[in-house]
Amino acid sequence: MKNKFIALFSLSVLIFSCAKTPNTLGNKDFKTNSTVNNKTNLDGSYSFDGMINRTDGLPVPVPTPKAEKDKIIQTYDATLFAGSYNGTRGHQDGQGSNALFDFPFKIIADSHDNLYVLDDYPRQPNAPSYALLDYQIRKITPDGTVAPIFVTTFDGLPSNDPIIAQTFTIDSDDNIYAVKTNSIYKVTPDGTATTVYSGFAGSPFGIVIDRIAVDPSKNIYLTDTTRQLIKKISSNGVLSVVAGQLYNDVSSDGNGTNATFNYPSDIISDNNGNLYVSSPFDAQIRKINSNNDVTTLTGKIYGNAIKFQYAQFEAVDGNKNTSVFSYLWGIAFDKNKNNIIVADFDKIRKVDLQGNTTTLVINSAEPSIFIKTSGNLGNFFNNATNLAVDSTGKIYVVDQNQHRIIKLTPSTSIVSPPKDNKKYITTTLSGNGNIGSISSQSTSSTFNYPKSIAVNSSGLFISDVQAPTIRKVDLLGNVSDFYAGSVNNPANKIYLNNDSTLTVAFKSSGTKNIDSFGTVSSISGLLSSFSFQSITKNSSGNIFMADSSLNVIKNQNFSIFAGTGVFGDKGLVNGSSNTAKFNLPQDLATDSANNIYVADSGNNAIRKIDPSGNVTTLAGSTMEGYKDGNGINARFRQPCGIAVDSLGYIYVADTGNNAIRKIAPNGDVWTIGGNTSYNFSDGVGTTATFNQPLGIAVDNTGTVFVADTNNQRIRKLSIQ
């Protein structure tokens, strides 16, 4: 009996610490008698809500994954802003649906949220869209009133003419720069026009200069699409080529004229001297920095021009190397210039400055992406060619073939997605189950207590705490050594930054950065001699840390973000940041809305902290067990690892249950791998088994990676 008590105590210490060196544990059976619901059995073992690891040879009951239910997500409300509901074509001033457009294709917002649209005018009956070289700039005020804008003086001479251009842009002072024939002129908000450049050659169709941008220094940038060039007109009027080679239409990165473009189209400028160019023939966005270095920000090149005809049938979200665009054309910055918003034929998409692509809106009633329309809009878009974003985050889309402007208003909505029928198959990525530190191919490799895990598009980083090293595992499972630590200072938690550097919480030397060469550096403002169980970062780069000794969550200034901070004060209490309580918080993860999720191990719960510090319980309760369900009706047993995917789903390494759990944003919990048995076997869903999984990560495809600690393996859960 004494030996049994010691074994149980060792298990408890391991689970509750989740970061300390484990005792060697064998497989443990949880026996049962006739009483199985939330009770202690006669031999002292615990019954997991009827989910028992049976020893009588009968099948183990397996929970049925619940359907995803109401989720709170970011969506967009679509409304008609200007133009007709039914796509009536014309040229008519007025407000909202009383206004008509002929062939709108370029739209820009000024600092006061007025919009400016380039529209065909005048047009001869039955003339093709390309027959006219000049277009009128029409202004749409925030209330949806459409009318042309006029030049009052031109180069010092009186005028009362509408602004005519082939393309245009607006600078930060609300000056309009209009390209017409072989000149560029600037129109100030009071209607005074002056010529700022004259002399570049035009073409029979007037489309040599496709788009124009102005940087904060008032340098002008042009996309010369037929010549495959990016040009610059400096603030003192000097014309030069920034990038591209004359008539070379095979895209390639490089510096300046060593780079090439295939139909450069839209162009935008940020505040740091960087340009971003859309290239629809290659379905790519290219970046040009202040040194004229051209790189591909995102987009998987199609490889041949013929593919372009069929591109509208393809679209894939992903990173810079895997994203696919349908018919990439118009681009604009969001309100904070942190992301690029893309008009992609029948989709509106977002690209962050690392090249990761997410679809915001599609031309269907897909509830998880688009939630609401007002009025009879029919198809939301029929060739979305261009867009603009105002100061509040509203997106205005040129619905070209339906001759109207659609407004997309961001909103937080509750949707009911279809039932989640996804099944996960667990396979072994690396490790053969033996204890050691052999770096080799896949299952020829060995681990020594793998704990924390982080993933990007190239592979995994693993904290192998008793080795004690940080190991790198590629997507084929091949293992290499990345950073050699010390026995007294292993890595408790690895956070992988967007630039592939690591932010690591060490056991005894605090939180530090490790670059791609394995060089360690302290983080400014962070103590170097403080131990934390876990770290995470929000979208602004702010670090949050789990301090399990005080049962609080701290920010990077070491101030308490959530929790009382009173030594020994623990429990499960929701509420404001300074009144909430935790019990041995172990791991942290952050979603796209900057909510923090906590594996609150001692409470057997998953907690949520909003950006203001308010704490709620997403799932679980102080009652340990193993049960799928919603919110506090679900049961966990000392969860130690947590991760969040791009859609807001939470993945939990439920350590004491040897299971991998998935949680919907509404709190629904179901098991995707494991079944409480301390064992090792690959398989589908709950037929797979784990032995005290501690670390967990999920990539942008939904593939889950697990540090299966006492099995000394790295496991992969793929959607079947």
Side-chain angles (χ1 to χ4, degrees):
M1 187 67 185
K2 180 179 178 181
N3 292 335
K4 182 176 183 179
F5 173 80
I6 293 173
L8 290 172
F9 178 78
S10 299
L11 172 61
S12 176
V13 169
L14 169 64
I15 294 173
F16 275 99
S17 70
C18 293
K20 298 180 180 178
T21 301
N23 295 318
T24 302
L25 299 173
N27 295 337
K28 178 174 172 54
D29 289 330
F30 290 88
K31 300 177 182 179
T32 183
N33 58 14
S34 59
T35 305
V36 297
N37 294 317
N38 297 324
K39 295 183 180 180
T40 302
N41 297 314
L42 296 177
D43 65 353
S45 64
Y46 194 82
S47 298
F48 290 115
D49 294 336
M51 306 302 299
I52 312 300
N53 183 28
R54 304 183 68 118
T55 59
D56 54 8
L58 296 177
V60 177
V62 177
T64 301
K66 288 180 65 83
E68 301 172 32
K69 295 191 177 176
D70 290 344
K71 300 188 295 183
I72 299 177
I73 63 170
Q74 179 74 58
T75 58
Y76 287 83
D77 298 339
T79 55
L80 179 72
F81 189 60
S84 71
Y85 280 102
N86 58 10
T88 300
R89 187 173 187 172
H91 191 98
Q92 178 176 295
D93 297 335
Q95 184 177 26
S97 61
N98 293 319
L100 297 177
F101 293 92
D102 191 8
F103 194 72
F105 68 93
K106 176 67 176 176
I107 187 169
I108 286 186
D110 69 12
S111 62
H112 301 288
D113 293 340
N114 298 296
L115 302 176
Y116 301 84
V117 179
L118 206 59
D119 190 25
D120 274 8
Y121 183 82
R123 171 174 289 278
Q124 301 298 318
N126 302 317
S129 62
Y130 58 81
L132 298 175
L133 304 182
D134 296 332
Y135 306 88
Q136 186 182 87
I137 300 177
R138 304 173 74 185
K139 181 178 180 179
I140 313 177
T141 56
D143 67 353
T145 300
V146 181
I149 56 175
F150 295 87
V151 175
T152 58
T153 60
F154 194 94
D155 285 335
L157 300 175
S159 179
N160 191 27
D161 296 324
I163 299 181
I164 302 297
Q166 291 145 25
T167 188
F168 78 112
T169 193
I170 294 175
D171 68 15
S172 57
D173 298 319
D174 294 340
N175 300 302
I176 294 173
Y177 294 76
V179 178
K180 189 175 187 299
T181 311
N182 66 346
S183 302
I184 300 175
Y185 58 95
K186 180 174 76 173
V187 184
T188 61
D190 65 0
T192 300
T194 55
T195 301
V196 296
Y197 185 83
S198 181
F200 52 77
S203 80
F205 300 102
I207 59 171
V208 172
I209 306 303
D210 192 11
R211 297 289 190 269
I212 179 174
V214 179
D215 70 13
S217 301
K218 302 298 188 287
N219 300 301
I220 301 170
Y221 299 89
L222 312 162
T223 56
D224 187 345
T225 50
T226 59
R227 294 172 173 84
Q228 318 293 345
L229 302 174
I230 310 299
K231 296 178 177 178
K232 173 183 178 180
I233 301 173
S234 65
S235 55
N236 59 359
V238 178
L239 177 67
S240 62
V241 175
V242 172
Q245 296 177 13
L246 187 64
Y247 300 124
N248 188 342
D249 61 358
V250 179
S251 292
S252 62
D253 293 341
N255 180 263
T257 55
N258 291 319
T260 57
F261 291 84
N262 188 1
Y263 201 86
S265 183
D266 210 357
I267 185 169
I268 55 178
S269 169
D270 67 13
N271 297 327
N272 301 312
N274 301 303
L275 303 171
Y276 297 87
V277 180
S278 67
S279 182
F281 275 25
D282 290 326
Q284 292 182 319
I285 297 175
R286 314 285 291 284
K287 177 182 178 181
I288 309 174
N289 68 13
S290 57
N291 295 320
N292 295 343
D293 296 319
V294 180
T295 56
T296 300
L297 176 68
T298 192
K300 186 176 181 181
I301 196 166
Y302 290 121
N304 61 74
I306 297 174
K307 187 70 173 181
F308 180 66
Q309 304 176 48
Y310 308 100
Q312 62 196 39
F313 300 106
E314 299 188 37
V316 178
D317 289 348
N319 61 31
K320 60 179 298 183
N321 299 314
T322 60
S323 297
V324 178
F325 292 90
S326 297
Y327 197 81
L328 169 69
W329 208 279
I331 56 177
F333 282 115
D334 66 6
K335 63 178 182 178
N336 297 318
K337 292 194 174 183
N338 293 326
N339 302 280
I340 297 170
I341 310 300
V342 181
D344 193 20
F345 186 70
D346 62 347
K347 307 166 191 70
I348 305 301
R349 307 176 74 186
K350 178 181 73 175
V351 178
D352 67 21
L353 299 186
Q354 288 73 48
N356 302 302
T357 302
T358 306
T359 299
L360 301 178
V361 173
I362 62 176
N363 190 18
S364 75
E366 172 74 33
S368 64
I369 301 177
F370 198 96
I371 187 62
K372 178 182 174 182
T373 62
S374 297
N376 182 21
L377 291 180
N379 285 334
F380 307 138
F381 319 119
N382 186 354
N383 194 11
T385 58
N386 217 272
L387 49 78
V389 183
D390 71 11
S391 63
T392 67
K394 298 182 182 69
I395 301 172
Y396 299 86
V397 182
V398 174
D399 185 10
Q400 189 175 82
N401 290 353
Q402 299 185 92
H403 318 289
R404 63 192 184 179
I405 310 299
I406 301 297
K407 180 172 69 175
L408 303 175
T409 303
S411 63
T412 299
S413 303
I414 299 177
V415 299
S416 299
K419 180 179 179 181
D420 184 350
N421 291 317
K422 296 176 181 177
K423 293 183 179 179
Y424 288 80
I425 181 170
T426 298
T427 56
T428 299
L429 183 64
S430 297
N432 59 19
N434 295 321
I435 296 176
S437 53
I438 298 173
S439 294
S440 182
Q441 296 181 341
S442 188
T443 54
S444 298
S445 59
T446 58
F447 292 89
N448 195 350
Y449 195 66
K451 180 184 179 290
S452 179
I453 186 168
V455 61
N456 64 8
S457 59
S458 65
L460 312 167
F461 291 88
I462 311 292
S463 172
D464 199 16
V465 297
Q466 285 190 326
T469 60
I470 295 177
R471 319 279 293 279
K472 190 172 182 178
V473 181
D474 68 21
L475 296 180
L476 297 176
N478 302 312
V479 181
S480 58
D481 293 335
F482 176 74
Y483 171 80
S486 65
V487 175
N488 296 324
N489 191 30
N492 278 344
K493 173 71 175 183
I494 300 173
Y495 182 91
L496 186 60
N497 302 299
N498 289 332
D499 60 359
S500 296
T501 61
L502 307 181
T503 299
V504 181
F506 288 97
K507 179 181 179 182
S508 57
S509 64
T511 302
K512 297 184 177 184
N513 284 334
I514 304 178
D515 66 17
S516 57
F517 300 101
T519 303
V520 180
S521 59
S522 297
I523 300 174
S524 178
L526 285 176
L527 296 176
S528 61
S529 60
F530 207 96
S531 178
F532 291 97
Q533 296 289 17
S534 181
I535 56 171
T536 190
K537 289 187 181 181
N538 64 14
S539 60
S540 301
N542 296 316
I543 299 174
F544 297 87
M545 299 163 282
D547 184 347
S548 59
S549 61
L550 281 180
N551 297 302
V552 297
I553 310 301
K554 293 183 176 179
N555 61 25
Q556 61 189 32
N557 298 319
F558 286 88
S559 300
I560 294 175
F561 183 65
T564 66
V566 178
F567 184 79
D569 193 13
K570 61 184 180 181
L572 196 157
V573 177
N574 295 321
S576 61
S577 60
N578 60 347
T579 61
K581 294 183 181 182
F582 302 87
N583 187 359
L584 294 173
Q586 292 296 327
D587 200 9
L588 306 175
T590 309
D591 67 12
S592 59
N594 288 336
N595 298 299
I596 300 171
Y597 297 90
V598 183
D600 194 7
S601 184
N603 280 323
N604 307 297
I606 306 302
R607 314 287 293 285
K608 177 181 177 181
I609 312 173
D610 70 17
S612 300
N614 298 309
V615 180
T616 56
T617 299
L618 178 66
S621 71
T622 56
M623 183 179 296
E624 66 180 4
Y626 176 45
K627 181 181 178 182
D628 291 342
N630 181 267
I632 62 173
N633 295 314
R635 296 285 182 267
F636 298 86
R637 183 175 173 88
Q638 287 84 50
C640 286
I642 194 166
V644 183
D645 70 14
S646 59
L647 298 177
Y649 290 95
I650 299 97
Y651 301 81
V652 179
D654 190 6
T655 306
N657 283 326
N658 304 297
I660 309 302
R661 319 288 291 279
K662 185 174 179 179
I663 310 175
N666 74 320
D668 273 351
V669 178
W670 63 98
T671 304
I672 62 174
N675 58 26
T676 77
S677 174
Y678 287 79
N679 216 323
F680 167 74
S681 61
D682 291 334
V684 178
T686 55
T687 65
T689 55
F690 297 82
N691 191 348
Q692 295 194 341
L694 289 179
I696 192 167
V698 57
D699 68 11
N700 57 18
T701 71
T703 302
V704 181
F705 299 89
V706 176
D708 191 7
T709 303
N710 273 13
N711 277 323
Q712 314 295 341
R713 292 177 169 95
I714 307 302
R715 315 286 293 282
K716 180 172 80 171
L717 283 75
S718 306
I719 298 172
Q720 193 179 40

